[in-house]
Amino acid sequence: MRVEIWSDIACPWCYVGKARFEKALEAFPHRDGVEVVHRSFELDPDRAKDDIQPVITMLTRKYGMSDAQARAGEENLGAQAAAEGLDYRTSGRDHGNTFDMHRLLHFAKERGRQDELIQILYRANFAEERSVFAEGAERLTELAVEAGLDADEVRTVLADPAAYADEVRADEREAAELGANGVPFFVLDRKYGVSGAQPAEVFAQALTRAWDDRPQLKLVADDDAQSADACGPDGCAVPQH
């Protein structure tokens, strides 16, 4: 069974939602049969790469919040994150364009390190003092190496704006086609969707339902099918006549 998660590194609920989903997945009896794939979704796709500003400033300007409302919201998010065992800086964080991070996540997927990288990017953005935006390619390279990726390959990807750009845009188009207008957005086997950072219990229910509803293969054959010649792990049937 495949679970696809549309998310953005700049989205605090994606950070919290991933932890809640993983809590449900850890307890899921068929955990080893679940493939998790992270998909791209930019909350601020039109933001220029060099347009970096404090999170509180972004919230007041983009969403019309008062300064007090923005700070209270960050405190609430900090409490929600702490409840899931996550570190969260409620002040001093900044906000910027995440397109390069999404491109790197597609590269990491090819190298089998996508989940490691997205967790490191979340931690760096929400819990650490150093900015994932202001320090540019070198900071992202450092984090990608921590996730097990090759530094030179990462620099090559970041230096080429076209590298994995089509993959990011394809994910975003697909999100729109599926009706996702916000993140996190979870799609289970392309049959069930879960929107938002739901409680772990909701994810557990969704996993169970999707698993139980998987198509079951039915063989179409005559009555002698079970004795028909075939090859298997122990070798091939040898004709006796």
Side-chain angles (χ1 to χ4, degrees):
M1 183 171 77
R2 171 180 281 196
V3 178
E4 297 162 278
I5 307 174
W6 272 264
S7 59
D8 192 7
I9 299 303
C11 165
W13 288 118
C14 296
Y15 179 47
V16 173
K18 182 176 185 292
R20 291 175 178 173
F21 169 76
E22 287 176 346
K23 184 181 293 184
L25 186 60
E26 183 65 28
F28 187 55
H30 309 289
R31 167 68 186 91
D32 292 342
V34 179
E35 176 192 13
V36 178
V37 178
H38 297 281
R39 301 291 192 194
S40 298
F41 189 107
E42 294 172 277
L43 290 173
D44 212 349
D46 297 324
R47 180 177 290 272
K49 190 172 180 178
D50 60 354
D51 184 4
I52 302 166
Q53 61 185 180
V55 166
I56 298 299
T57 301
M58 180 274 294
L59 292 172
T60 57
R61 292 179 180 177
K62 185 173 181 178
Y63 300 106
M65 296 180 178
S66 68
D67 186 83
Q69 287 172 325
R71 293 184 186 281
E74 284 296 288
E75 290 293 334
N76 176 57
L77 279 162
Q80 297 277 351
E84 304 303 330
L86 301 172
D87 292 329
Y88 190 98
R89 295 178 65 227
T90 58
S91 62
R93 292 192 304 108
D94 59 8
H95 176 81
N97 183 288
T98 58
F99 189 62
D100 282 348
M101 297 180 209
H102 286 294
R103 293 195 301 114
L104 274 184
L105 285 166
H106 277 278
F107 167 67
K109 181 176 182 293
E110 286 189 355
R111 296 294 189 268
R113 309 299 294 176
Q114 189 186 50
D115 194 67
E116 290 83 357
L117 180 58
I118 197 169
Q119 190 59 38
I120 286 170
L121 290 173
Y122 277 140
R123 184 204 69 207
N125 185 42
F126 291 108
E128 297 181 359
E129 290 189 15
R130 292 177 61 192
S131 171
V132 296
F133 303 106
E135 295 187 37
E138 278 310 305
R139 175 64 169 148
L140 294 183
T141 300
E142 176 187 309
L143 295 170
V145 168
E146 185 181 341
L149 297 169
D150 179 80
D152 289 338
E153 290 185 331
V154 170
R155 291 189 183 99
T156 297
V157 170
L158 291 173
D160 179 6
Y164 301 94
D166 289 345
E167 287 84 346
V168 175
R169 298 307 182 208
D171 276 359
E172 293 174 336
R173 286 194 301 271
E174 199 163 13
E177 291 167 2
L178 290 169
N181 53 19
V183 285
F185 189 71
F186 301 77
V187 177
L188 294 78
D189 259 2
R190 290 300 171 106
K191 291 182 66 177
Y192 297 100
V194 178
S195 180
Q198 299 286 348
E201 294 78 10
V202 173
F203 289 121
Q205 293 167 9
L207 286 166
T208 299
R209 185 170 180 180
W211 184 269
D212 291 345
D213 283 359
R214 289 173 306 137
Q216 299 298 313
L217 183 67
K218 295 182 179 180
L219 294 176
V220 178
D222 59 33
D223 292 339
D224 294 327
Q226 290 188 357
S227 61
D229 293 335
C231 291
D234 298 323
C236 297
V238 178
Q240 300 299 311
H241 301 289

